[in-house]
């Protein structure tokens, strides 16, 4: 089959862009929302069944989830981006070989992370900012969820490859199945069996295991790509290519982990000097970060859903479709951000109340944190979406730079500097400033790339005209 015929027969090259975005982005958004539900459902049931210290424990354990997700995105998005670029160029066998390498390394990496967490559990919790009151809850929760890390990594990364293989609905079902199981088992284990925070952890890993098995089943029985057993042996050249295009998303997650750890320690230190104490800020920020995951899941889902469209059409030199897809995704992201901005500003207490009760100081801190730290929510989808866009079109270095802007270049210095002068309020005001700066940088780079593609599009048209004239 010729390369041109492959491109023409692929709906990524011919279907209406709006319809494609809906087809790929909606399942991706649902998958991301379902992924965030693992943490949110745990947070709700733990808050109701265990209390504030249980919520704080999940916040302390959250960096491990972020690190696992970072590894999954490094390999999953890197594999999917390369797969679509090579498929768009007509190199179908090479595309399948890259996917095979990505799947193999996902399995190996997940097992290594899980073992490392179990070996270094207590030192890690201390680094993550645990207090003495929170420590036993964090030990129970993290010690159990470590056994689910290999399946979490495989599911999160593998689903990107499944989407790239033109099966977005199956990808969504994988994530949805695990989340439903987790949601059913959480109240059963916590309230009926009285297992407390250990029950929440057990429910989480059971859901992750089921989702992981479904990913394995897809590549054994239901795949579209021509994947052979020999392709599952990792090849160094493909690992480098995968890492190159997956690094931006990975670094963004690692940056989130670094900021989360720094913020936990900052909140512990300055919270102890405030009217709130150390535990209330840790619990509140844990809840609010999980709520914000819902918003970010939608924005990242839009980006991930557009990734096959961007990658395939850029590889096929259909630059007009790439530009149209980015513009539509940008508008959708702004609309979603505006809706969540309104919710965060108008209903902070009601949102926090879903995750359990607390003192008046607890709700006071949560309301102020929502209204101040999350003030730029309407722009917060631009940076992760643009980073995914750059990665999808093969601009790995630019994707990495944009990934670093909010977390490392802006937010991390501000949450270290502002509290020195403003106490715990400094953490709150660092958020919107970092968000606004990161959005402006992302928009600037995106405009440059879109103009560059416009020029390439005109050059392609002129070349075709000249060829026709000859």
């Amino acid at each position: 089959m010729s390369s041109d015929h492959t491109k023409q027969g692929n709906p990524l090259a011919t279907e209406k862009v709006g319809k494609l975005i809906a087809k790929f982005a909606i399942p991706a958004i649902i998958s991301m929302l379902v992924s965030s539900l693992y943490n949110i459902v745990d947070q709700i049931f733990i808050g109701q069944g265990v209390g504030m210290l249980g919520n704080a424990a999940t916040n302390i354990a959250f960096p491990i989830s972020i690190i696992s997700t970072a590894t999954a995105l490094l390999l999953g998005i890197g594999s999917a981006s390369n797969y679509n670029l090579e498929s768009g160029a007509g190199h179908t066998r090479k595309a399948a070989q890259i996917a095979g390498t990505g799947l193999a390394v996902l399995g190996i990496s997940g097992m290594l992370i899980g073992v490392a967490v179990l070996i270094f559990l207590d030192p890690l919790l201390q680094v993550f900012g645990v207090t003495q009151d929170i420590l036993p809850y964090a030990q129970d929760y993290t010690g159990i969820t470590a056994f689910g890390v290999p399946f979490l990594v495989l599911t999160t990364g593998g689903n990107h490859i499944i989407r790239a293989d033109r099966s977005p609905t199956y990808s969504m079902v994988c994530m949805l199945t695990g989340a439903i199981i987790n949601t059913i088992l959480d109240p059963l284990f916590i309230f009926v069996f009285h297992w407390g925070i250990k029950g929440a952890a057990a429910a989480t890993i059971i859901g992750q295991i089921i989702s992981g098995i479904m990913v394995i089943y897809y590549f054994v029985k239901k795949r579209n790509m021509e994947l052979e057993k020999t392709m599952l042996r990792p090849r160094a050249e493909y690992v480098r290519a995968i890492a190159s295009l997956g690094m931006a998303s990975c670094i963004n997650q690692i940056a989130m982990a670094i900021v989360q750890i720094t913020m936990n320690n900052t909140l512990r230190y300055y919270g102890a000097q405030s009217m709130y104490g150390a535990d209330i800020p840790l619990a509140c920020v844990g809840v609010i970060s999980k709520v914000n995951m819902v918003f970010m899941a939608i924005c990242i889902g839009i980006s991930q859903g557009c990734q096959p469209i961007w990658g395939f059409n850029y590889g096929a030199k259909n630059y007009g479709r790439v530009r149209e897809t980015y513009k539509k995704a940008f508008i959708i992201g702004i609309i979603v951000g505006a809706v969540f901005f309104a919710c965060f500003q108008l209903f902070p207490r009601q949102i926090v109340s879903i995750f359990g009760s607390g003192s008046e100081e607890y709700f006071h801190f949560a309301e102020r944190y929502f209204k101040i730290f999350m003030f730029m929510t309407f722009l917060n989808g631009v940076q992760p979406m643009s980073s995914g866009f750059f990665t999808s079109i093969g601009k790995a270095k630019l994707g990495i730079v944009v990934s670093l802007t909010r977390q490392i270049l802006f937010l991390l210095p501000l949450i270290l500097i502002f509290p020195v002068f403003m106490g715990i309020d400094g953490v709150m005001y660092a958020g919107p400033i970092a968000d606004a700066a990161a959005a402006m940088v992302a928009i600037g780079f995106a405009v440059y790339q879109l103009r560059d593609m416009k020029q390439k599009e005109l050059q392609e048209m002129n070349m075709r005209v000249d060829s026709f004239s000859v």
Side-chain angles (χ1 to χ4, degrees):
M1 185 179 291
S2 70
S3 173
D4 287 343
H5 182 76
T6 300
K7 295 173 190 176
Q8 292 171 3
N10 196 310
L12 292 171
T14 58
E15 187 66 79
K16 289 184 179 180
V17 167
K19 187 174 180 179
L20 278 175
I21 292 176
K23 178 181 178 181
F24 283 87
I26 291 174
I29 290 169
I30 294 174
S31 295
M32 288 299 301
L33 285 172
V34 168
S35 180
S36 67
L37 278 176
Y38 279 112
N39 292 294
I40 293 172
V41 169
D42 280 352
Q43 198 88 51
I44 292 173
F45 285 117
I46 289 171
Q48 298 289 345
V50 180
M52 185 186 75
L53 293 178
N55 275 335
T58 63
N59 184 38
I60 295 298
F62 195 46
I64 293 173
S65 178
I66 296 175
I67 293 167
S68 300
T69 302
T71 305
L73 295 182
L74 170 70
L75 301 170
I77 290 181
S79 299
S81 298
N82 278 284
Y83 179 85
N84 285 125
L85 286 169
E86 295 295 341
S87 296
H91 308 146
T92 55
R93 182 168 180 82
K94 183 179 179 182
Q97 289 173 329
I98 290 172
T101 291
L103 287 168
V105 182
L106 276 168
I108 295 168
S109 301
M111 287 187 284
L112 290 176
I113 294 172
V115 170
V117 171
L118 289 171
I119 293 174
F120 302 106
L121 178 59
D122 284 352
L124 284 171
L125 295 178
Q126 293 298 328
V127 171
F128 295 163
V130 74
T131 66
Q132 284 302 117
D133 290 339
I134 299 169
L135 180 60
Y137 297 94
Q139 287 172 325
D140 288 341
Y141 186 79
T142 311
I144 294 172
T145 54
F147 289 97
V149 165
F151 297 95
L152 170 62
V153 172
L154 178 62
T155 300
T156 304
N159 274 296
H160 287 283
I161 305 174
I162 292 173
R163 259 194 310 275
D165 195 38
R166 306 194 311 276
S167 297
T169 302
Y170 188 93
S171 171
M172 175 188 70
V173 171
C174 284
M175 300 298 295
L176 191 58
T177 301
I180 291 172
I181 291 170
N182 181 39
T183 304
I184 293 171
L185 294 182
D186 254 332
L188 180 67
F189 290 172
I190 294 174
F191 299 111
V192 179
F193 294 170
H194 303 291
W195 291 353
I197 201 165
K198 292 181 180 179
T204 296
I205 67 170
I206 291 172
Q208 290 168 344
I209 289 170
I210 298 299
S211 292
I213 291 172
M214 291 181 67
V215 169
I216 295 170
Y217 177 78
Y218 175 86
F219 288 104
V220 173
K221 294 290 186 180
K222 299 181 70 67
R223 65 186 184 274
N224 295 311
M225 66 179 71
E226 298 178 7
L227 186 65
E228 302 168 5
K229 289 182 180 180
T230 56
M231 295 178 179
L232 294 174
R233 289 198 295 267
R235 295 176 60 173
E237 61 183 296
Y238 295 149
V239 172
R240 287 193 294 270
I242 289 168
S244 174
L245 294 188
M247 189 60 69
S249 297
C250 174
I251 287 177
N252 190 45
Q253 291 291 317
I254 294 296
M256 285 175 59
I258 293 171
V259 170
Q260 184 76 40
I261 293 167
T262 304
M263 185 174 288
N264 285 348
N265 283 281
T266 302
L267 292 169
R268 179 176 63 177
Y269 179 79
Y270 289 99
Q273 300 177 16
S274 72
M275 60 180 285
Y276 305 108
D279 293 333
I280 284 177
L282 285 170
C284 288
V285 173
V287 167
I288 294 169
S289 66
K290 302 302 190 305
V291 173
N292 189 49
M293 282 175 61
V294 176
F295 166 62
M296 295 307 296
I298 296 174
C299 295
I300 295 172
I302 294 169
S303 176
Q304 291 176 357
C306 292
Q307 182 268 324
I309 311 171
W310 287 327
F312 185 93
N313 285 288
Y314 193 86
K317 298 183 179 180
N318 296 330
Y319 300 120
R321 289 176 66 81
V322 179
R323 291 166 52 243
E324 182 183 357
T325 304
Y326 180 84
K327 290 176 181 178
K328 288 182 182 295
F330 181 90
I331 293 170
I332 295 169
I334 293 295
I335 293 172
V336 172
V339 172
F340 274 85
F341 169 80
C343 292
F344 292 167
Q345 295 299 313
L346 297 175
F347 310 111
R349 178 177 284 254
Q350 291 87 338
I351 294 171
V352 175
S353 297
I354 297 172
F355 297 85
S357 60
S359 64
E360 187 56 35
E361 289 81 8
Y362 172 82
F363 284 108
H364 182 261
F365 182 88
E367 288 181 36
R368 295 191 68 235
Y369 194 89
F370 251 129
K371 291 184 176 181
I372 299 172
F373 192 87
M374 309 300 295
F375 187 75
M376 298 302 295
T377 297
F378 56 91
L379 282 179
N380 280 359
V382 174
Q383 183 249 358
M385 187 188 71
S386 297
S387 178
F389 167 66
F390 299 137
T391 298
S392 299
I393 63 174
K395 307 293 183 181
K397 291 181 180 179
L398 188 53
I400 291 171
V401 170
V402 173
S403 291
L404 288 172
T405 52
R406 180 186 185 270
Q407 303 289 344
I408 299 299
L409 298 183
F410 301 128
L411 185 57
L412 185 60
L414 292 178
I415 62 175
L416 291 173
I417 295 170
F418 279 14
V420 174
F421 304 99
M422 304 170 64
I424 200 166
D425 284 359
V427 175
M428 302 186 197
Y429 287 99
I433 296 173
D435 292 339
M440 292 304 102
V441 171
I443 291 171
F445 281 129
V447 168
Y448 175 82
Q449 288 299 318
L450 295 175
R451 288 176 178 172
D452 182 63
M453 276 186 275
K454 180 65 174 178
Q455 292 299 317
K456 290 180 179 179
E457 188 179 4
L458 292 173
Q459 290 172 6
E460 289 286 330
M461 291 176 60
N462 291 334
M463 288 175 62
R464 285 196 292 268
V465 170
D466 291 342
S467 176
F468 181 77
S469 299
V470 172

